[in-house]
Amino acid sequence: MLRAMIVDDEAPARSELRFLLEQTGKTSSIIEASSVRSAIEKLMESRVDVVFLDISMPSASGLQLAEALHKLKNPPAVVFVTAYSDHAVEAFDVDAVDYLLKPVEEERLERALAKVALHVKPQAEPKSSIERIPVEKGGRKVLIPVDQIRYIMAKDDYSCIFTDDDRFLSTTSLAQFESKLGDFGFFRVHRRYIVNLACVEDVETVPSGAIQLGITGTDERVPVSRRRVVPLKKALSL
């Protein structure tokens, strides 16, 4: 499973590529950035295996970011996703793994992911480094064991962490938690929710056709976005 980043200044393009990536079931997390500057900031916070990168963007181009990544000791794989074919030579000068033209076809994306899988060897974060999550509680630092977390919900500018018997607020974003906890059996089921798959008690289809999850030890029903249903079922072996 690959940790991916999408860098594109157009929200519809990011959304469409995210959907296609989720449908493949080959990504454990997907981070989005709308500019090169935003991408750099997020790459400093979270490690990724592959960057899907547009070329033509305001301020700084995707080629400039790819060139900077190319100089890293252990750079992520780069796959360019662009509406123009005239930058292909420049793209491969910075060792891009592939070059996709918009609109991206699902079969073509699958081939690109196969190339990425050969190019990188995804490495899990050392579990010893994040077996516990630090949060603030009553003016002091509290370390929460990862296996006690049932689910995490985005709430305003915070993330609300629900454990066996308590809840905590954290300034860590849901995207950061998604990247850090993917190797511990946590799964992003909705733009506002990450769940511990080990705590999923039941999967219910409500009258509207939407999917909701029952979580062990709580009456909360966690919604699943339509785009996450297929990869979630794969993760749960349903």
Side-chain angles (χ1 to χ4, degrees), residues 53-67:
L53 182 58
D54 190 16
I55 289 180
S56 299
M57 289 185 288
S59 302
S61 75
L63 283 168
Q64 289 173 299
L65 175 57
E67 186 175 355

Side-chain angles (χ1 to χ4, degrees), residues 60-113:
S61 75
L63 283 168
Q64 289 173 299
L65 175 57
E67 186 175 355
L69 293 175
H70 181 56
K71 296 177 182 178
L72 297 177
K73 183 178 180 180
N74 296 302
V78 171
V79 175
F80 283 103
V81 184
T82 177
Y84 307 98
S85 61
D86 51 353
H87 292 291
V89 173
E90 296 169 274
F92 290 109
D93 280 345
V94 291
D95 287 345
V97 172
D98 212 337
Y99 192 99
L100 305 181
L101 291 177
K102 298 177 181 178
V104 178
E105 297 179 356
E106 187 173 348
E107 183 180 343
R108 185 67 183 84
L109 179 59
E110 288 275 7
R111 295 207 304 270
L113 287 172

Side-chain angles (χ1 to χ4, degrees), residues 15-142:
S15 179
E16 175 63 20
L17 184 54
R18 171 183 277 272
F19 173 74
L20 291 173
L21 285 169
E22 289 174 345
Q23 290 299 105
T24 69
K26 295 178 180 176
T27 55
S28 60
S29 64
I30 302 173
I31 301 171
E32 296 184 24
S34 59
S35 67
V36 169
R37 180 176 180 178
S38 174
I40 292 172
E41 291 173 351
K42 293 182 178 183
L43 284 168
M44 292 176 67
E45 298 173 349
S46 306
R47 204 173 76 194
V48 301
D49 301 305
V50 55
V51 178
F52 290 89
L53 182 58
D54 190 16
I55 289 180
S56 299
M57 289 185 288
S59 302
S61 75
L63 283 168
Q64 289 173 299
L65 175 57
E67 186 175 355
L69 293 175
H70 181 56
K71 296 177 182 178
L72 297 177
K73 183 178 180 180
N74 296 302
V78 171
V79 175
F80 283 103
V81 184
T82 177
Y84 307 98
S85 61
D86 51 353
H87 292 291
V89 173
E90 296 169 274
F92 290 109
D93 280 345
V94 291
D95 287 345
V97 172
D98 212 337
Y99 192 99
L100 305 181
L101 291 177
K102 298 177 181 178
V104 178
E105 297 179 356
E106 187 173 348
E107 183 180 343
R108 185 67 183 84
L109 179 59
E110 288 275 7
R111 295 207 304 270
L113 287 172
K115 292 181 182 180
V116 170
L118 293 173
H119 186 269
V120 300
K121 294 181 179 179
Q123 298 178 350
E125 295 281 354
K127 290 194 174 184
S128 60
S129 67
I130 58 169
E131 283 184 347
R132 297 188 293 177
I133 299 294
V135 297
E136 292 282 345
K137 182 80 170 181
R140 59 193 177 90
K141 283 283 187 182
V142 178

